Amino acid sequence: MLRRRGGTWIGWPGVELKKGERVSTRADAYRIAPVPLGETDIARYYHGFSNRTLWPLFHSLPGHTQFVRKDWNVYADVNERFAGVAMRHARDAKLVWIHDYHLMLTPEFMRRAHPEARLAFFLHIPFPPFDIFRLCPWDKELLRGLIACDLIGFQIENYAHNFMDCAEQILGARVDREAMIIEDGDRVARVGVFPIGIEFDLFQEQAMKARRESQRERVVLGVDRLDYTKGIPERIRAFERLLELHPRHKGNVVLLQLAVPSRSQVTEYRELKSEIDELVGQVNGRFATSTWSPIRYLYRSFPQERLCGLYRDADVALVTPLRDGMNLVAKEYVACQVDDPGVLVLSRMAGAAETMREALQVNPFDLDGTAEAIHRALTMDEEERASRIAAMRRRERRDDVEAWVEHFLAAGNEEAAHLDPISERELQQWLRGYVKSYPLCLFLDYDGTLTPLVSHPSKAKLSKEMREALMGCSRRVDTDVSIVSGRALDDIRKIVGEPNLVYAGNHGLEIEGPEIARFRHQDLVHYEARALELFGALEAIANEGAWTEAKGPTLTFHIREVPEARQARYAQKARALMTEHGYQARDAHAAVEARPPIGWDKGRAVLHILRERYGPNWSERVRVIYVGDDQTDEDAFRFLAGLAMTFRVGSADTPTGALHRLPDVEAVRRLLDWVGMRPLTEATPTQSSL
Ligand code: ADQ
């Protein structure tokens, strides 16, 4: 592809470089940007997380899967390095196309550094169903890694649907299965199906040219990388079964199995090799005569031209993986059927089975069934063989690898996808099962949740529509509304200006509202003097538009107006001063918050309000929804896990503990509208014990 179109190939050279050794970066039509890996990287990133975790898990073989945190850490680190190299070499690229399971976090690292980049990903292996994928302790991270792309491509529809299911169920993302679009917060990714093809003409040509080797027996051919997903032992057993069920093939047919050595550093692959060696010995021992052995097993790589000759001359190709993303061997075999047509026996667990329906499809776990299919293949008449092969050849010639590239690149260059704003029906789906007919308690952050983020806190005013939506909720007898903000209590009460709500200011350190005793955390007295000192210290560094907001016991150091390149330096200095003064520093949107380290946060404040208003058995009386947009709301999301339905608004750059993300303030308004307009519940929150 690069030879034809130019571009830059970024990749690991595949070997560990010795000191002073360099990889040649010269190629005729494209550039090469190597990403070198050290010994630990190769062990943990490549053999470890890529091949001992993701490979078996994604092939739905959890029994072979290991989850090792250190491997994961190195995987993340190497993915970040790939992103770094890609950013350096492809900053202005029209499209960065990231391949396969080794690089699932790279898009996220690139997106954070380069929000405008055009990123597309293709997964060559299956994407497993939800029940398997969720076994991975880093399921959320992997999904978020991919959703940072504009386009995520899979081999077949089934994998794309598995992915959308996981995004919906694990991340709480919005998914439109018809349009194949995923929205997670402010990120929107298109999902597509792009079955890979082969260089059909090249294989066909080589098959025509390949030398003919004299052959005495009819050949059933297997060609694979030596991998436990390829079902080689099962295949040998099925062939043994064929000889038992149909003894007439004895002496006339051989199974020629070629296996390319692969990943031999991984113990399981070494074990598999011994298992196959032993099995071949057993079957040959059982059936061989002085002139014939049923299995010819060759453990090595073959030049493509020779391979094409073997494909051409094989009567049957036995392609029976236990699970396979696509499987190119099946396609290569078909392309090489240039004279007497052979028969393809194909596992229905291979992605290729989705389109190659004229093959004899088998379940590789069913030895008898596979043996019968081989028998049928060996005894099929010429007319049927020709029809089946012709149909597959036509399709594979049309859908060759060049067509695949074209198709993928065209989709990758399409306009960015978007989803319609969240609808009542979707909110209903998310909330109905949880809310049922319970009274509701809404907890809402203010800045960034009810109003868009603005340059100065005094400019953050509620829109008319948002105020109506909010009132639509608070007017209801079955719904209570609390505002939980980082602002000082008086400030937040004044800026919202609605008397019937509960207000929690200073991240919940101060609380006030109807039917609730005014609360001020008892330890705050110790921080009054310190707050003044810290204020002075922060003001002393506040240049270039930075300023300090004094909020009684807490302070906020604002850096939104500082030139962007220097914001991080200011934040770092502010954090240091806060720690020095015995405060806890927390990052917020273009600000750093200083809070007394007294083990109190928005989550605890919410629980305090719930217990004060509805008693210790509040969870039997009300359902709770919490909506927030920043790091301080994460305290509440974590704390309320299992106790509330939580939503994080806005940027998906940071991970969240919330159950769902909403893209913007407008989506929050729609959520409030849904709450305000849902059917009325009989009981009020304080009376209810449904
Ligand atoms: P692989 O798992 O590597 O690829 P596959 O698609 O079967 O699997 O490709 C194997 C390749 O190796 C073929 O091109 C074949 O010709 C070659 N090969 C096998 N044995 C050989 C031998 N003894 N000598 C020389 N060459 C040999 C992953 C996914 C697949 C997906 C591809 C492409 O696992 O499901 O089809 O990517 O997306």
Side-chain angles (χ1 to χ4, degrees):
M1 176 186 110
L2 288 174
R3 230 179 275 135
R4 263 182 234 159
R5 294 161 195 262
T8 306
W9 182 328
I10 300 165
W12 171 42
V15 289
E16 193 192 345
L17 298 181
K18 303 215 176 64
K19 235 182 155 172
E21 227 176 9
R22 304 202 60 202
V23 178
S24 158
T25 53
R26 286 198 13 233
D28 291 340
Y30 55 93
R31 292 178 299 273
I32 295 177
V35 183
L37 299 182
E39 198 183 335
T40 313
D41 301 330
I42 297 172
R44 292 201 175 277
Y45 158 74
Y46 185 68
H47 296 304
F49 200 76
S50 297
N51 287 330
R52 254 192 292 258
T53 307
L54 293 176
W55 175 267
L57 188 72
F58 279 33
H59 285 86
S60 293
L61 297 168
H64 290 262
T65 309
Q66 291 179 16
F67 298 108
V68 181
R69 179 166 291 275
K70 278 191 182 155
D71 289 357
W72 161 252
N73 291 340
V74 177
Y75 179 83
D77 182 58
V78 170
N79 271 251
E80 190 170 8
R81 257 184 275 157
F82 267 89
V85 176
M87 300 296 297
R88 271 201 303 286
H89 287 268
R91 179 160 277 284
D92 303 316
K94 250 176 73 194
L95 181 78
V96 181
W97 185 358
I98 301 156
H99 285 259
D100 229 5
Y101 61 102
H102 317 79
L103 295 174
M104 290 176 70
L105 298 180
T106 296
E108 161 86 17
F109 287 117
M110 292 188 73
R111 176 64 70 216
R112 271 195 242 155
H114 198 358
E116 300 308 316
R118 195 136 257 268
L119 306 176
F121 182 93
F122 183 77
L123 185 70
H124 288 257
I125 64 175
F127 194 91
F130 167 67
D131 254 353
I132 299 280
F133 182 70
R134 67 167 156 174
L135 299 176
C136 180
W138 304 283
D139 53 353
K140 279 191 169 183
E141 288 82 349
L142 292 169
L143 292 170
R144 292 188 57 238
L146 292 190
I147 294 175
C149 289
D150 299 284
L151 173 69
I152 310 160
F154 297 92
Q155 300 271 25
I156 60 171
E157 210 146 291
N158 178 261
Y159 310 156
H161 281 277
N162 287 345
F163 181 72
M164 291 191 281
D165 286 350
C166 289
E168 185 172 62
Q169 302 203 53
I170 297 172
L171 287 184
R174 284 178 69 207
V175 171
D176 181 337
R177 284 185 175 69
E178 282 284 281
M180 301 193 65
I181 293 175
I182 299 181
E183 176 199 271
D184 188 38
D186 62 348
R187 289 188 183 158
V188 184
R190 213 187 286 277
V191 174
V193 177
F194 307 92
I196 198 168
I198 57 165
E199 279 187 280
F200 187 94
D201 293 340
L202 180 78
F203 276 91
Q204 174 172 267
E205 228 169 83
Q206 288 186 341
M208 286 171 173
K209 284 200 303 224
R211 197 163 55 87
R212 282 179 196 275
E213 297 172 40
S214 67
Q215 77 188 43
R216 275 184 301 122
E217 302 104 344
R218 307 189 64 202
V219 174
V220 175
L221 178 67
V223 177
D224 307 84
R225 258 187 324 98
L226 189 99
D227 194 294
Y228 51 80
T229 60
K230 302 289 181 186
I232 302 172
E234 290 77 1
R235 185 178 310 162
I236 294 171
R237 287 200 190 93
F239 191 74
E240 180 180 28
R241 195 78 190 111
L242 169 81
L243 300 177
E244 285 167 4
L245 292 171
H246 300 281
R248 62 187 258 208
H249 297 301
K250 284 188 207 168
N252 304 316
V253 178
V254 293
L255 170 63
L256 173 58
Q257 176 64 52
L258 315 184
V260 202
S262 174
R263 303 176 195 168
S264 41
Q265 282 92 332
V266 178
T267 325
E268 295 217 272
Y269 286 75
R270 284 199 300 268
E271 286 169 4
L272 176 66
K273 175 163 186 311
S274 320
E275 185 190 344
I276 295 173
D277 287 347
E278 216 166 285
L279 205 56
V280 170
Q282 264 172 33
V283 178
N284 278 344
R286 181 171 166 204
F287 292 99
T289 62
S290 57
T291 53
W292 170 79
S293 288
I295 301 177
R296 211 167 297 152
Y297 169 54
L298 304 172
Y299 177 64
R300 61 169 182 265
S301 183
F302 282 80
Q304 207 170 63
E305 203 186 303
R306 173 95 197 282
L307 197 59
C308 289
L310 293 170
Y311 280 142
R312 180 198 57 206
D313 298 335
D315 298 84
V316 178
L318 202 45
V319 183
T320 54
L322 305 182
R323 183 81 54 165
D324 212 333
M326 174 57 68
N327 194 296
L328 299 182
V329 169
K331 301 192 172 205
E332 292 165 2
Y333 176 71
V334 162
C336 292
Q337 294 313 293
V338 289
D339 25 271
D340 187 24
V343 182
L344 174 63
V345 175
L346 178 62
S347 161
R348 65 183 196 215
M349 313 299 176
E354 194 163 284
T355 50
M356 302 182 89
R357 54 177 181 275
E358 299 83 359
L360 296 188
Q361 296 204 0
V362 296
N363 172 356
F365 295 95
D366 171 12
L367 302 186
D368 284 16
T370 307
E372 289 303 347
I374 304 170
H375 174 67
R376 183 163 169 222
L378 286 167
T379 52
M380 190 182 283
D381 65 39
E382 208 249 324
E383 215 171 300
E384 184 181 351
R385 279 186 280 131
S387 305
R388 289 180 182 275
I389 282 290
M392 289 190 276
R393 283 174 59 80
R394 231 187 343 266
R395 191 178 309 114
E396 294 310 324
R397 178 182 288 123
R398 185 192 64 201
D399 301 337
D400 69 354
V401 74
E402 184 55 27
W404 174 75
V405 169
E406 291 263 346
H407 185 190
F408 189 92
L409 292 181
N413 287 316
E414 262 176 42
E415 262 174 53
H418 81 279
L419 267 191
D420 290 338
I422 191 161
S423 66
E424 205 185 311
R425 194 176 51 84
E426 287 175 276
L427 286 163
Q428 180 89 351
Q429 269 174 6
W430 278 358
L431 290 162
R432 190 182 38 204
Y434 173 68
V435 175
K436 298 195 181 118
S437 55
Y438 280 86
L440 257 183
C441 234
L442 275 184
F443 291 90
L444 307 166
D445 169 53
Y446 184 75
D447 297 275
T449 299
L450 296 179
T451 67
L453 293 169
V454 287
S455 59
H456 194 282
S458 62
K459 292 188 192 153
K461 297 272 158 53
L462 276 183
S463 69
K464 187 164 147 277
E465 295 76 25
M466 187 62 98
R467 186 173 294 282
E468 271 167 21
L470 196 60
M471 289 304 100
C473 298
S474 81
R475 264 198 302 271
R476 295 173 60 117
V477 290
D478 62 354
T479 306
D480 285 343
V481 179
S482 305
I483 308 290
V484 186
S485 168
R487 291 178 182 246
L489 182 59
D490 289 343
D491 181 15
I492 185 65
R493 202 194 308 104
K494 209 164 101 206
I495 200 155
V496 178
E498 297 291 342
N500 291 328
L501 314 187
V502 175
Y503 292 96
N506 270 320
H507 308 290
L509 287 165
E510 300 173 305
I511 300 169
E512 193 180 84
E515 295 170 58
I516 185 165
R518 196 188 150 97
F519 168 84
R520 188 163 194 273
H521 197 284
Q522 58 198 23
D523 293 348
L524 290 185
V525 283
H526 309 305
Y527 285 86
E528 273 154 16
R530 259 193 252 180
L532 283 177
E533 279 170 32
L534 176 58
F535 180 78
L538 288 171
E539 275 300 272
I541 61 158
N543 301 316
E544 299 188 90
W547 63 283
T548 318
E549 185 184 1
K551 305 185 295 188
T554 72
L555 298 107
T556 303
F557 188 71
H558 292 273
I559 49 176
R560 186 170 298 277
E561 277 156 38
V562 171
E564 215 177 313
R566 288 195 288 285
Q567 289 188 354
R569 278 232 337 262
Y570 275 91
Q572 193 192 358
K573 278 203 226 162
R575 278 195 297 266
L577 284 175
M578 290 171 187
T579 319
E580 218 173 274
H581 284 75
Y583 269 79
Q584 200 177 42
R586 290 296 297 268
D587 290 331
H589 291 301
V592 187
E593 310 253 7
R595 283 193 285 162
I598 50 183
W600 193 261
D601 55 38
K602 286 181 168 181
R604 270 160 243 268
V606 167
L607 191 63
H608 175 82
I609 295 170
L610 289 167
R611 291 176 61 95
E612 282 284 299
R613 294 197 76 175
Y614 318 112
N617 60 347
W618 62 268
S619 65
E620 291 169 21
R621 297 165 181 266
V622 290
R623 288 290 190 251
V624 181
I625 294 179
Y626 186 107
V627 192
D629 80 307
D630 75 15
Q631 279 314 101
T632 66
D633 296 305
E634 289 297 332
D635 298 328
F637 299 145
R638 256 193 314 276
F639 193 84
L640 294 172
L643 300 176
M645 182 70 103
T646 49
F647 294 87
R648 169 131 187 191
V649 187
S651 162
D653 276 359
T654 41
T656 183
L659 291 175
H660 294 284
R661 285 187 195 266
L662 297 172
D664 49 25
V665 169
E666 172 57 16
V668 179
R669 191 187 60 75
R670 285 169 178 266
L671 172 73
L672 296 186
D673 278 345
W674 183 87
V675 171
M677 290 195 274
R678 74 192 199 281
L680 205 62
T681 312
E682 306 267 303
T684 68
T686 35
Q687 298 160 344
S688 139
S689 64
L690 284 177

